[in-house]
Amino acid sequence: MRQVAVTDGDKVAAEARFGFSVNTHGVGDLVAVIEAVNDASIDALCAEYEETYDVSSVLRKGGDRHAILRYNARQEIGLRSFLEEGGFTGFSDTFEDLHGLDQLPGLAVQRLMADGYGFAGEGDWKTAAVVRAMKVISDGLPGGASFMEDYTYELNPSGQLVLGSHMLEVCPSIAANRPRLEVHPLGIGGKADPARLVFDARAGAAVNVALMDLGNRFRFLVNEVDAIKPPHDLPKLPVARAVWKCRPDFKTAVGAWIYAGGAHHTGYSYAVTAEHIEDLAEIAGVEVAVIDAETTIRGFRQQLRNDEIYYHIAPGLGRL
């Protein structure tokens, strides 16, 4: 994505440190695969949608906007085929590069994440890798994992909350209820209205995890949070969403996140814990900073200063 440096980073350093490679494929290559999908496959997947989700009447077979659902099915089948043939386990896209596509993929991305693929929007390959890692870590564990973003905040003096979401792509593995399949306008990208699964995420303890390229090293940043049932109905937010309280509190968590250079995209999970990410960071030899119930700004800032010294000298001592 253009003019969003936080979604970029050193792909060579990432491969050397973590072992995954990041490559770009022209969207035209994907379009060719999507256009080759046959009608019988689309029919079968649309029928699966109607069995699996509460599908809006306009999207159902015979509905005024059923063609939109069929195109979503075409996208999903094509994307899945492209990923399988390439041996890819994660991907990203951007609404700034949709040439040849009728819609920004929404439903297709949600369902691919539910099947274990890593994903992040806007070209954010680092967060796509985080989501994939969380999918692998949480395999066989209850709770799910998803791409996430702090969407907005409730700054009520009696208690602050975070509403996490994204414009389309939140994984249904974290849903508290049966998702509803709907279609709504999308004001960016200049394409047709995309379908998406709309739901509330479940309540419970969770983590938000970001991965940043600091130039001389990578840093995992973790915030332990407590997700709650949304305290209000959200009829004008036609996307999947989670609502949570930050540990130890909103002001401390946000301050620490900023001091650590936290990214605006994260991986979110009820199954993955801070300890899992600490283990992953240890295996990869990278820094990890955790914001939890015991965090204070003074102590957190000192930890970051100490880490700066350690990760400057550790390579020369053979510690990484």
Side-chain angles (χ1 to χ4, degrees):
M1 181 176 172
R2 295 182 287 271
Q3 301 173 350
V4 184
V6 73
T7 64
D8 213 332
D10 189 334
K11 299 180 179 70
V12 176
E15 184 168 4
R17 179 57 60 189
F18 298 106
F20 62 78
S21 61
V22 182
N23 300 288
T24 298
H25 292 263
V27 68
D29 296 337
L30 174 60
V31 169
V33 177
I34 289 174
E35 290 181 346
V37 175
N38 62 63
D39 287 343
S41 298
I42 294 171
D43 292 341
L45 189 51
C46 285
E48 180 181 330
Y49 293 157
E50 296 200 16
E51 291 179 1
T52 307
Y53 311 114
D54 292 336
V55 180
S56 171
S57 60
V58 297
L59 290 175
R60 287 182 170 271
K61 187 174 183 180
D64 294 342
R65 312 196 75 183
H66 182 63
I68 289 176
L69 189 64
R70 292 185 63 80
Y71 188 76
N72 274 266
R74 179 182 293 278
Q75 278 188 324
E76 180 182 339
I77 296 166
L79 261 171
R80 191 180 298 275
S81 176
F82 190 88
L83 293 167
E84 289 176 351
E85 290 179 10
F88 308 126
T89 56
F91 65 104
S92 181
D93 60 16
T94 168
F95 56 83
E96 291 184 326
D97 188 11
L98 298 174
H99 185 71
L101 295 175
D102 291 353
Q103 303 169 16
L104 176 65
L107 174 61
V109 169
Q110 292 177 293
R111 284 172 52 85
L112 286 164
M113 264 196 290
D115 287 341
Y117 285 95
F119 174 81
E122 299 154 31
D124 187 355
W125 55 269
K126 296 191 299 298
T127 303
V130 169
V131 174
R132 170 59 181 172
M134 295 176 93
K135 291 290 187 181
V136 173
I137 292 169
S138 63
D139 184 42
L141 299 176
S146 178
F147 171 51
M148 190 60 70
E149 176 182 292
D150 283 23
Y151 226 43
T152 192
Y153 304 120
E154 181 173 76
L155 303 180
N156 191 319
S158 64
Q160 296 79 41
L161 299 173
V162 180
L163 189 151
S165 188
H166 207 257
M167 55 192 177
L168 293 174
E169 315 96 343
V170 176
C171 180
S173 67
I174 67 169
N177 45 23
R178 179 179 165 100
R180 181 170 172 78
L181 182 48
E182 303 177 1
V183 59
H184 299 278
L186 184 66
I188 56 178
K191 295 291 183 175
D193 300 340
R196 78 290 303 268
L197 297 174
V198 179
F199 56 84
D200 293 328
R202 63 177 57 89
V207 294
N208 266 311
V209 182
L211 175 62
M212 295 84 70
D213 184 345
L214 303 181
N216 64 335
R217 67 186 186 280
F218 291 95
R219 171 186 287 161
F220 281 111
L221 179 59
V222 183
N223 185 200
E224 295 183 341
V225 303
D226 294 291
I228 65 171
K229 181 180 178 181
H232 315 287
D233 291 335
L234 300 166
K236 296 184 179 180
L237 184 64
V239 289
R241 56 278 178 130
V243 178
W244 64 80
K245 299 177 180 178
C246 298
R247 298 183 190 174
D249 58 75
F250 178 84
K251 185 175 180 179
T252 302
V254 170
W257 194 271
I258 292 171
Y259 279 122
H264 73 291
H265 288 159
T266 62
Y268 175 89
S269 178
Y270 301 91
V272 177
T273 66
E275 185 177 1
H276 286 129
I277 303 303
E278 289 173 315
D279 289 344
L280 177 60
E282 181 70 20
I283 292 167
V286 301
E287 181 186 7
V288 60
V290 178
I291 306 166
D292 59 17
E294 308 302 320
T295 297
T296 65
I297 291 296
R298 177 180 293 174
F300 191 80
R301 292 184 69 185
Q302 186 59 53
Q303 176 195 340
L304 295 180
R305 295 187 188 102
N306 295 344
D307 285 357
E308 190 68 44
I309 297 170
Y310 175 81
Y311 284 94
H312 179 70
I313 65 175
L317 299 175
R319 298 288 179 85
L320 296 179

